């Protein structure tokens, strides 16, 4: 539907000279149509066909018609690129937060600072069940708000990246796209800050510390008796599940306990004998691992924070209503949102100033999909924005 894609302000480049077949009323005035049966032509005394350069036709195209273009038409491929840029406009008219919204965000940040769920009730608690329900709803609301901020920020990033790809393919679109991209970058940064306000940097550092813990050695524990010959295998599975989830999460280390509970419960199946003792033994084990990780995170280090460049991957394109699987882990997204100090709108790259443990994890786990690079060495006084501009990440991904 060319008329809904090519609005008057869109640069056409070389496509303006492509001769396009259109239909018009006998007067030669009014809109140009792709379909001679268009309902807006029904009142015309007669309809005739004309061949006209696309640049001359563009300002008169009917927004309701489809044009029967060949699949290799340059107009079609340019139209796809224009749509990727024009899609930015749907994110630019959002209403600003009012005081009530701000209060909800502040309360969510306070709740999530204590963990993912309300503290467990004790016998000394005087709260009634209604108060407990309200507190559960408060935490549900906080987690939902954080997820919404995360998903929206990632969606904005992906739309900006796609518009950059469109401009790279059709550089003549840049003057039109630049203003839209600048506005979207401002909206995206506000969304990133709102998301980061719902995160705890300490948890990201502790997650990075889990990665460097040595693999624990199995030793028989009386609490494992109910598992019999499956004890060591269950021990290995618990470590794998707990350490993997803890390493790539923005949650407290204690909030990974459900993964441990699930592995142990699966190992027992329908058997009950020895099950409570096994759960207790594994709770003690994970408490020891958490203590070790926090000791690593708190260990004094002479290594300064590092300035890194990163190019986050975009969300995959999906059909309408298909679920999107974000290639970024929760930990990676949280680190980028929390530690970003500069952003290159044109390249879609970010500069992060991060603690040494987090830098190690990012660099070790860098991939073709998410290149990471040390930006500044000792004695380099250039601003992060300048260093980020100079980073040629494309040559790294090609190699």
């Amino acid at each position: 539907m060319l008329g809904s894609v090519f609005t008057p302000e869109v640069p056409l480049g070389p496509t303006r000279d492509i001769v396009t077949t259109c239909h018009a009323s006998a007067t030669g005035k009014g809109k140009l149509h792709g379909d001679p049966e268009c309902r807006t032509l029904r009142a015309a005394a007669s309809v005739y066909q004309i061949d006209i350069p696309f640049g001359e036709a563009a300002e008169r195209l009917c927004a309701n018609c489809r044009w029967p273009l060949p699949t290799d038409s340059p107009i079609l491929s340019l139209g796809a690129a224009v749509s990727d840029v024009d899609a930015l406009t749907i994110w630019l008219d959002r209403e600003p937060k009012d005081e009530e919204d701000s209060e909800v965000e502040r309360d969510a940040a306070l709740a999530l600072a204590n963990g993912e769920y309300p503290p467990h009730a004790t016998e000394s608690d005087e709260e009634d069940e209604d108060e407990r329900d309200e507190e559960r709803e408060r935490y549900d609301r906080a987690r939902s708000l954080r997820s919404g901020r995360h998903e929206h920020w990632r969606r904005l990033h992906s739309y900006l990246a796609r518009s950059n790809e469109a401009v790279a393919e059709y550089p003549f679109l840049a003057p039109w796209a630049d203003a839209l991209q600048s506005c979207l970058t401002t909206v995206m940064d506000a969304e990133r800050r709102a998301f980061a306000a719902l995160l705890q940097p300490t948890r990201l550092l502790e997650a990075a510390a889990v990665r460097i813990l040595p693999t624990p050695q199995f030793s028989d524990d009386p609490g494992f008796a109910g598992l019999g010959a499956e004890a060591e295998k269950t021990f290995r599975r618990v470590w794998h599940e707990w350490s993997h989830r803890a390493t790539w999460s923005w949650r407290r280390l204690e909030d990974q306990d459900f993964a441990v509970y699930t592995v142990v419960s699966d190992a027992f199946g329908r058997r009950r004998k020895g099950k409570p003792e096994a759960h207790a033994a594994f709770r003690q084990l994970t408490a020891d691992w958490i203590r070790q990780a926090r000791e690593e995170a708190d260990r004094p280090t002479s290594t300064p924070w590092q300035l890194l460049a990163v190019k986050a991957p975009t969300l995959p394109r999906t059909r309408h209503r298909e679920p999107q699987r974000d290639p970024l882990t929760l930990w990676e997204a949280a680190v980028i949102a929390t530690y970003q100090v500069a952003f290159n709108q044109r390249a879609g790259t970010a500069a992060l100033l991060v603690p040494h443990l987090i830098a190690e994890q990012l660099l070790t786990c860098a991939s073709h999909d998410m290149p990471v690079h040390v930006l500044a060495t000792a004695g380099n006084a250039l601003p992060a924005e300048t260093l980020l501009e100079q980073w040629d990440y494309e040559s790294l991904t090609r190699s």
Side-chain angles (χ1 to χ4, degrees), residues 49 56 62 95 109 127 137-138 153 201 251 253 311 329 342:
Q49 179 178 305
E56 294 180 29
C62 173
E95 295 182 2
E127 292 179 307
E137 289 175 7
R138 180 192 179 209
W153 170 62
R251 296 183 171 197
L253 298 182
K311 182 171 175 63
T329 66

Side-chain angles (χ1 to χ4, degrees), residues 20-188:
T20 308
T21 299
C22 301
H23 299 85
S25 64
T27 64
K29 299 179 181 179
K31 294 291 185 181
L32 298 176
H33 302 267
D35 181 3
E37 303 296 327
C38 178
R39 63 177 182 272
T40 58
L41 283 174
R42 289 173 187 166
S46 60
V47 177
Y48 73 103
Q49 179 178 305
I50 58 172
D51 292 332
I52 182 173
F54 187 56
E56 294 180 29
E59 293 189 10
R60 297 175 55 196
L61 299 175
C62 173
N64 300 312
C65 280
R66 295 181 182 274
W67 267 257
L69 299 175
T71 55
D72 61 349
S73 169
I75 294 176
L76 280 182
S77 54
L78 175 61
V82 168
S83 295
D84 278 342
V85 176
D86 188 62
L88 304 186
T89 59
I90 67 176
W91 307 107
L92 300 181
D93 296 326
R94 299 172 68 85
E95 295 182 2
K97 290 188 298 183
D98 58 23
E99 182 54 36
E100 184 177 344
D101 292 333
S102 299
E103 181 57 38
V104 169
E105 301 243 359
R106 285 192 291 269
D107 183 68
L110 287 172
L112 295 171
N114 297 319
E116 298 293 303
Y117 306 97
H120 292 296
T122 64
E123 292 181 3
S124 61
D125 286 340
E126 296 181 358
E127 292 179 307
D128 60 23
E129 192 57 34
D130 287 342
E131 290 174 326
R132 294 295 297 170
D133 286 344
E134 286 180 12
E135 194 68 357
R136 281 191 285 268
E137 289 175 7
R138 180 192 179 209
Y139 276 79
D140 288 346
R141 188 165 54 246
R143 292 194 306 274
S144 177
L145 182 60
R146 182 184 57 195
S147 294
R149 287 293 189 191
H150 166 230
E151 290 166 7
H152 187 52
W153 170 62
R154 289 289 292 136
R155 198 175 295 119
L156 292 177
H157 172 269
S158 298
Y159 272 77
L160 178 65
R162 289 168 192 163
S163 73
N164 278 329
E165 291 170 3
V167 172
E169 187 175 359
Y170 298 99
F172 57 83
L173 293 178
W176 166 62
D178 188 61
L180 292 175
Q181 291 177 323
S182 295
C183 290
L184 187 85
T185 300
T186 300
V187 173
M188 188 171 77

Side-chain angles (χ1 to χ4, degrees), residues 11-13 46 57 75-76 83 118 142 144 171 229 252 263 280 292 307 312 337 375 399:
L12 300 177
S46 60
I75 294 176
L76 280 182
S83 295
S144 177
R252 287 188 318 160
V263 171
Q292 292 171 37
L307 187 64
L375 269 186
S399 62

Side-chain angles (χ1 to χ4, degrees), residues 172-322:
F172 57 83
L173 293 178
W176 166 62
D178 188 61
L180 292 175
Q181 291 177 323
S182 295
C183 290
L184 187 85
T185 300
T186 300
V187 173
M188 188 171 77
D189 194 58
E191 198 69 22
R192 176 190 66 81
R193 292 173 184 274
F195 170 43
L198 301 171
L199 301 166
Q200 299 295 314
T202 301
R203 294 176 193 165
L204 305 178
L205 186 63
E206 291 172 354
V210 170
R211 189 186 64 85
I212 63 172
L213 292 181
T215 302
Q217 299 301 308
F218 175 75
S219 60
D220 212 358
D221 183 295
F224 298 161
L227 288 164
E230 293 288 304
E232 185 170 358
K233 179 181 176 182
T234 304
F235 177 90
R236 302 292 176 212
R237 283 189 61 206
V238 164
W239 166 252
H240 173 77
E241 286 293 321
W242 181 85
S243 61
H244 180 77
R245 289 174 182 270
T247 298
W248 297 108
S249 176
W250 59 43
R251 296 183 171 197
R252 287 188 318 160
L253 298 182
E254 288 86 353
D255 290 323
Q256 307 300 335
D257 58 353
F258 185 71
V260 176
Y261 179 86
T262 300
V263 171
V264 176
S265 295
D266 288 348
F268 271 92
R270 295 184 178 182
R271 293 181 293 122
R272 298 183 60 85
K273 186 177 180 181
K275 192 174 183 179
E277 292 80 4
H279 279 303
F282 278 105
R283 277 197 299 272
Q284 182 57 54
L285 264 180
T286 52
D288 290 342
W289 298 338
I290 290 170
R291 176 185 51 77
Q292 292 171 37
R294 290 197 170 130
E295 287 174 356
E296 287 292 339
D298 293 339
R299 194 182 302 281
T301 175
S302 59
T303 307
W305 284 36
Q306 289 183 261
L307 187 64
L308 304 181
V310 59
K311 182 171 175 63
T314 61
L315 297 172
R317 292 180 186 264
T318 56
R319 290 193 173 93
H320 183 58
R321 295 190 181 279
E322 278 186 349

